[in-house]
Amino acid sequence: MGIGADGWDGLPGASREALRTAETLIGGARQLALLPAECAGERVAWPSPLRPAVPGLLAAHAGRRVAVLASGDPMFYGIGRTLTEVLEEAVTVMSDGPAPHTAPSAPRLRVLPHPSSVSYACARLGWPVEETEVVTLVGRPAENLLAALYDGRRVLVLSAGAGTPAEVATLLRAHGYGPTRMRVLQQLGGDRERTAEGTAAEWPPETRDAITAAHHPADADPLNVTPADADPPNVTPADADPPNVTPAVGIVPPNDATPAAGIAPLDAIPIDTAPLNVTPADIDPLNVIALDCVREPGTLRLSAVPGLPDAAYEHDGQLTKRHVRAATLAALAPAPGELLWDIGGGSGSIAIEWLRAHRGCRAVSVERDPVRAERIGRNARALGVPALRVVTGRAPAALAGLPTPDAVFIGGGLTVPGLLAACWDALPAGGRIVANTVTLESEALLADWYRRYGGELVRLAVAHAVPVGGFTGWRQAMPVTQWTAVKPPGTPRTPTSLPANTLPHESEDPR
């Protein structure tokens, strides 16, 4: 059940009754300390690391009434997801047993939520929840935030600790969003609620030691949270002791007239506009960061749709150019939750823009050159998708053991023996394949696969206007031949006698 910074006083009757009658109470040390003596159940603090310990912990208390404390809404980036997954796994194991009808029933999960930090923050700020972008940095790389940055956009960042605001400010400055207004809302809903405000440009940078200390106070329980098991306040481990802070310049406590949590008007908490002077020691670990995004003049504008400017990428020439890239992503048709194999990653542009299409998308980029593979990782982080998995190796051998793809893009090495067949065979029914080439040899191969398996075979030609003396003319880029196909149900494995085994393979993709 969810519990807020206001502790026992903020809990509804149903939550209080469940805690009073629970035989086992599980939570962070700080959360457990919020409960009164009338909650007489055995108190068990979360071990570290958390996620692997959950099945054993639940098994140790099987048959008892167990109450698990979570900060805010347990199903919003919280422990509720982990518990649901663990219990579902238990049901699956029992159903796969020799006599599932004799197996004991799995424990029933009942969720009693508390308002999330997002609800509190939007109430304080006067922001419509449905129009506010939310990015969590609890157990996740800070670079995830970069994909959400657009001029004029409102973003709420679920903080990993007291050092997160400084980390976010550094990231914003480095990527041309220094004028962004930052408001750090702390201890939302509690009697120590306060706000710090400034711009990313003026927010003081912190040393790595200071940030580490702020993220991991000496008296905090080490939860070692991961994305799957993070039990955040949707912001930070709730059992981290908040520092005893005297408001500094730029930090303002709530007005005494602030109404009940969750309904404070926008002007109920005054904002100090004096120059900011804060450190992680001044910021409570339990915080949410509100961003009013402002892009600096001259900063490269990035779109929400495929076809980012070529200048957005670090590359050595191995880059699927902007217009062809947009057409390729349209053919790949990314959808939430789907996995892409990007074969011959080059600069990683196809996989990166696949991931930017939706936060639920997944991608693996396979690149044989270690230097390029490292560059792909840098591009992914710079463009807000650090979750891109980069595999360094030669396809098709490097494809062994990868999870089944929903779509495959081949941007290089089409004539490597067995590559195209391996990719086609790896696809499930309904999976898509897109292959680009500029060479006649690979074009002949694609024409043969088009004849055998159908799909679409197109040629993409792009020309750019350039000066010709005192006039202007067209400079034609190399045309790109693209084959796109959807694998039909019941497709047999590819014969081994296809032309890929007889053509000399290309050592480079001349994209």
Side-chain angles (χ1 to χ4, degrees), residues 319-496:
L319 175 71
T320 302
K321 301 302 188 289
R322 180 180 193 175
H323 299 92
V324 174
R325 191 185 329 127
T328 300
L329 266 295
L332 286 167
E338 290 191 328
L339 173 67
L340 171 73
W341 285 2
D342 178 11
I343 312 299
S347 65
S349 63
I350 296 296
I352 287 169
E353 296 192 28
W354 168 282
L355 290 172
R356 284 176 59 93
H358 189 275
R359 68 177 64 185
C361 289
R362 299 167 295 138
V364 179
S365 184
V366 180
E367 172 54 55
R368 65 177 184 82
D369 186 304
V371 174
R372 288 178 180 155
E374 290 183 6
R375 187 181 295 122
I376 291 170
R378 290 196 298 272
N379 280 330
R381 291 188 293 273
L383 291 167
V385 287
L388 173 60
R389 178 181 173 186
V390 182
V391 174
T392 305
R394 293 179 179 270
L399 306 180
L402 294 182
T404 301
D406 298 286
V408 175
F409 171 67
I410 306 176
L414 268 172
T415 57
V416 171
L419 174 59
L420 192 50
C423 292
W424 182 253
D425 289 340
L427 283 171
R432 290 96 62 202
I433 190 167
V434 177
N436 291 358
T437 187
V438 297
T439 70
L440 293 175
E441 290 78 8
S442 288
E443 185 178 90
L445 178 63
L446 293 183
D448 185 78
W449 278 72
Y450 171 67
R451 179 180 62 82
R452 292 170 181 261
Y453 297 105
E456 277 191 305
L457 191 64
V458 300
R459 179 168 290 172
L460 306 172
V462 178
H464 295 272
V466 297
V468 180
F471 298 90
T472 303
W474 292 106
R475 176 170 293 166
Q476 185 76 38
M478 294 182 71
V480 175
T481 299
Q482 182 181 90
W483 176 57
T484 304
V486 177
K487 188 174 181 179
T491 303
R493 290 189 63 82
T494 307
T496 58

Side-chain angles (χ1 to χ4, degrees), residues 1 26 120 159 236 259 297 325 399 437 496:
M1 65 196 62
I26 302 175
Y120 276 124
S159 176
T236 180
R325 191 185 329 127
L399 306 180
T437 187
T496 58

